[in-house]
Amino acid sequence: YALDKGANITKVFVDTVGDAGNYQAKLSNLFPGIEITVSAKADAKFPIVSAASICAKVMRDTVVKSWRFIEDLPYTAEDFGSGYPSDPNTKKWLQGAVQSIFGFPQFVRFSWSTCSKLLESKAVAVHWEDDDEEDEAVKNTAKITQFFQRPTESQTYKQHRFFKERLLQPVDSF
């Protein structure tokens, strides 16, 4: 999207989990002419990645502090702390917020081990019959690399609900 808007991007640094070489090769093929560097612990090796990481964390903290639950829950930022699973306030909030049928509000990353353990101990186990069968929809799901390709003229961008709810808009120029 930024490239389509005329952004002059010459270098990209990516922090990775897994095989950095394969990922770098894929990205280099998708974006010829851009110098791609994929590295584990990139935030410790490259100052620009460190700066981006700090910006992302500051933005995340700002979003967490002003979070409004779509589920219309009475919680405030003081109730759930930083939102990180290592925060004692967050752990305490998670223990009280877990619901036996629905799990947690959308705010919570269910994949965190702190949350997974609470769900295993306090929520009803669910087994979906189609978990055992390969779903046709999964077979036809777009590959992750498709999201890095330039869009065709017929494709339009739809803003995700997260950004709409917070009245956030893309920035084309500074």
Side-chain angles (χ1 to χ4, degrees):
Y1 185 73
L3 292 172
D4 295 329
K5 293 288 187 176
N8 184 20
I9 299 172
T10 58
K11 293 182 182 181
V12 172
F13 294 88
V14 179
D15 198 349
T16 188
V17 175
D19 188 333
N22 286 341
Y23 196 37
Q24 184 164 326
K26 282 184 179 183
L27 290 173
S28 294
N29 286 335
L30 289 170
F31 300 102
I34 297 177
E35 182 184 331
I36 308 280
T37 302
V38 178
S39 173
K41 304 288 184 189
D43 59 338
K45 296 177 184 176
F46 306 102
I48 192 72
V49 180
S50 302
S53 179
I54 291 167
C55 290
K57 286 178 176 135
V58 168
M59 185 62 194
R60 180 206 173 276
D61 291 348
T62 301
V63 168
V64 167
K65 285 178 186 171
S66 62
W67 190 265
R68 291 194 184 111
F69 288 91
I70 199 164
E71 300 90 350
D72 197 28
L73 299 173
Y75 303 117
T76 65
E78 291 79 33
D79 296 329
F80 52 78
S82 68
Y84 289 107
S86 60
D87 179 342
N89 291 335
T90 300
K91 283 184 181 179
K92 181 180 175 184
W93 179 81
L94 285 169
Q95 290 170 351
V98 67
Q99 208 277 340
S100 63
I101 303 296
F102 300 108
F104 296 104
Q106 76 165 62
F107 173 74
V108 177
R109 243 189 238 179
F110 284 53
S111 61
W112 279 341
S113 64
T114 306
C115 302
S116 298
K117 289 174 185 172
L118 279 170
L119 288 171
E120 287 173 12
S121 66
K122 294 190 172 193
V124 175
V126 175
H127 176 77
W128 302 97
E129 289 181 22
D130 64 349
D131 280 349
D132 299 329
E133 303 168 11
E134 189 170 355
D135 188 357
E136 281 299 313
V138 173
K139 286 182 185 176
N140 297 324
T141 300
K143 293 181 179 180
I144 188 86
T145 54
Q146 183 177 349
F147 295 98
F148 294 106
Q149 295 172 353
R150 292 178 191 256
T152 62
E153 287 186 25
S154 64
Q155 292 173 316
T156 58
Y157 290 98
K158 292 184 182 175
Q159 194 176 37
H160 187 273
R161 186 181 76 205
F162 175 87
F163 299 102
K164 284 182 184 176
E165 290 170 357
R166 285 155 189 81
L167 305 174
L168 299 173
Q169 297 294 322
V171 176
D172 292 319
S173 60
F174 297 94

